Amino acid sequence: MKRILVTGAGGFIGHHLVKYLKANRYWVRGVDIKLPEYEQTAADEFELLDLRRWAECLQAVRGIEEVYNLAADMGGIGFIESHKAQIMHNSVLINMHMLEAARLQGVGKFLFTSSACIYPGYKQNSPDVTPLKEIDAYPAEAEDGYGWEKLFTERQCRHYWEDYGLKTYVVRFHNIFGPLGTYEGGREKSPAAICRKIAMAKPDDEIEVWGDGYQTRSYCYIDDCVEGIYRLMQSDLHDPINLGQDRLVSINQLVDIVAGIAGKRIRRRHDLTKPQGVRGRNADLTLMKQTLGWEPRISLEQGLTETYKWIQQQLQAQGRI
Ligand code: NAD
């Protein structure tokens, strides 16, 4: 059995990825600074390690053949706009140490999870944005802090591939969502935050929406995300690739879809003082379709139905609704 390391295995995507790899009969070690919050890990081994520390990265990679490196200090737009120094410090340390530890261990393949936040602000100024192609990353003007760290590590992955022959893979996620993800506390992202607010609202209540709600995004359900990651790791593509969907919706539309799922009439109160990120962002999926012969299939409505159900159950179990 191939021995795989998933870092960030206590987090949202890492936890789902471990389940996917186990279902596909790999031996998996999960590593994180925290255990998964909402259910037990499926990993064969789970170690609590701080991957900012070099010695703990060496410990994480021992006996490992492939690394899926998802650990990062991250959150939704409210978090990343207000913790830039912390994010860059922590994630640079994690990624530089993990790449070097993987090289020394003789790891065959190394995945780095980058983000749509690496794309330049000047290409995302309008809600009806042109979908972003991988080559649009340069000339760079990434999201300050979080996006620049991702872009820097993307480049270091390329250098490790070119200089050392470590097979690096770089995936740029576009808004991944689903059950078992953070839904409150400041690090949650828009789909989870909206599901929580609507689950807690009474019919005809008002919920707070950040910005005027006309900002647009595309969203990808977690099951498609982990399948896409796995398919990429079976390919020969070592350049960055988008992973997401290309159905553009506004935040207002997202609210309406979730309200429909909840069966509630909801009014919106727009708070223009809150961070909103870029005005519009969509993914061009040409490279993904060409190289992987595949694209995500789960609709936004299906994915949000599962996510809403799960968040609602969490809140019910805590006696909050
Ligand atoms: P997450 O926050 O749920 O998971 C990240 C995990 O990394 C957390 O469990 C955290 O505890 C762990 N971590 C942080 N610092 C660590 C350290 N020093 N040592 C060990 N573990 C540490 O986030 P996620 O949504 O699962 O994201 C996974 C990856 O995908 C991240 O690299 C993220 O930047 C990237 N990404 C996610 C999205 C998205 O929409 N969720 C979009 C773009 C990129």
Side-chain angles (χ1 to χ4, degrees):
M1 261 204 248
K2 198 168 268 177
R3 293 172 68 89
I4 295 190
L5 169 65
V6 177
T7 76
F12 167 51
I13 302 173
H15 176 70
H16 283 277
L17 179 63
V18 168
K19 283 207 274 191
Y20 183 89
L21 293 170
K22 282 309 301 170
N24 285 279
R25 297 202 198 82
Y26 289 90
W27 184 93
V28 181
R29 175 181 299 141
V31 162
D32 203 298
I33 39 170
K34 65 171 175 72
L35 291 168
E37 257 165 81
Y38 309 108
E39 66 180 23
Q40 280 216 321
T41 183
D44 297 279
E45 258 179 39
F46 195 100
E47 295 191 16
L48 287 171
L49 296 173
D50 184 342
L51 298 173
R52 289 171 299 186
R53 301 195 179 128
W54 170 236
E56 300 190 27
C57 292
L58 287 176
Q59 185 178 334
V61 298
R62 70 195 191 287
I64 288 296
E65 290 158 88
E66 293 183 6
V67 173
Y68 290 67
N69 185 40
L70 279 74
D73 195 355
M74 71 95 73
I77 192 70
F79 179 78
I80 65 174
E81 284 201 0
S82 54
H83 296 78
K84 293 174 191 154
Q86 174 189 322
I87 286 171
M88 285 195 73
H89 173 265
N90 291 344
S91 294
V92 162
L93 288 177
I94 293 169
N95 292 324
M96 294 306 105
H97 285 157
M98 279 304 302
L99 270 166
E100 181 61 6
R103 179 180 81 86
L104 291 178
Q105 163 64 30
V107 159
K109 296 182 181 180
F110 185 100
L111 174 87
F112 170 60
T113 49
S114 185
S115 166
C117 290
I118 63 95
Y119 286 111
Y122 62 79
K123 292 230 172 221
Q124 305 174 81
N125 285 330
S126 153
D128 61 347
V129 59
T130 306
L132 294 157
K133 287 192 171 57
E134 288 77 359
I135 50 160
D136 289 328
Y138 297 96
E141 193 208 320
E143 172 86 34
D144 213 1
Y146 178 72
W148 274 106
E149 188 284 323
K150 292 288 191 196
L151 201 57
F152 170 77
T153 299
E154 283 193 1
R155 299 182 74 87
Q156 186 69 332
C157 286
R158 179 161 60 78
H159 299 319
Y160 266 65
W161 164 230
E162 288 171 353
D163 293 358
Y164 300 133
L166 171 58
K167 286 187 180 170
T168 53
Y169 297 81
V170 174
V171 62
R172 293 176 182 159
F173 292 146
H174 289 250
N175 297 311
I176 312 303
F177 73 101
L180 306 173
T182 305
Y183 57 89
E184 64 185 343
R187 286 189 190 241
E188 69 277 19
K189 300 187 157 196
S190 52
I194 289 167
C195 285
R196 183 198 75 232
K197 288 176 188 180
I198 293 183
M200 297 187 75
K202 303 207 168 44
D204 267 337
D205 265 4
E206 234 181 33
I207 64 158
E208 183 189 84
V209 175
W210 289 11
D212 63 9
Y214 291 110
Q215 65 271 36
T216 54
R217 296 291 184 274
S218 62
Y219 296 91
C220 178
Y221 190 62
I222 184 67
D223 291 2
D224 279 331
C225 169
V226 292
E227 183 175 348
I229 295 175
Y230 183 73
R231 285 175 179 267
L232 173 63
M233 287 292 267
Q234 313 316 309
S235 80
D236 289 324
L237 182 75
H238 301 290
D239 293 326
I241 182 173
N242 286 332
L243 175 45
Q245 291 226 14
D246 57 4
R247 174 176 164 200
L248 195 64
V249 291
S250 69
I251 296 295
N252 286 337
Q253 286 171 314
L254 197 64
V255 171
D256 291 345
I257 294 171
V258 178
I261 291 166
K264 295 180 186 175
R265 197 177 154 269
I266 294 289
R267 288 172 302 122
R268 298 186 293 260
R269 184 179 68 257
H270 294 280
D271 186 343
L272 303 180
T273 66
K274 290 283 171 40
Q276 321 174 27
V278 293
R279 199 65 186 138
R281 175 179 288 155
N282 199 0
D284 182 297
L285 305 180
T286 311
L287 183 64
M288 187 174 69
K289 290 182 203 167
Q290 275 170 0
T291 50
L292 305 186
W294 172 88
E295 63 182 303
R297 280 178 279 255
I298 299 161
S299 73
L300 185 58
E301 284 77 4
Q302 274 175 286
L304 284 172
T305 301
E306 293 306 313
T307 310
Y308 181 80
K309 249 195 297 184
W310 179 77
I311 291 176
Q312 189 185 36
Q313 279 163 6
Q314 293 291 304
L315 295 168
Q316 274 164 349
Q318 295 159 26
R320 293 165 62 191
I321 55 173

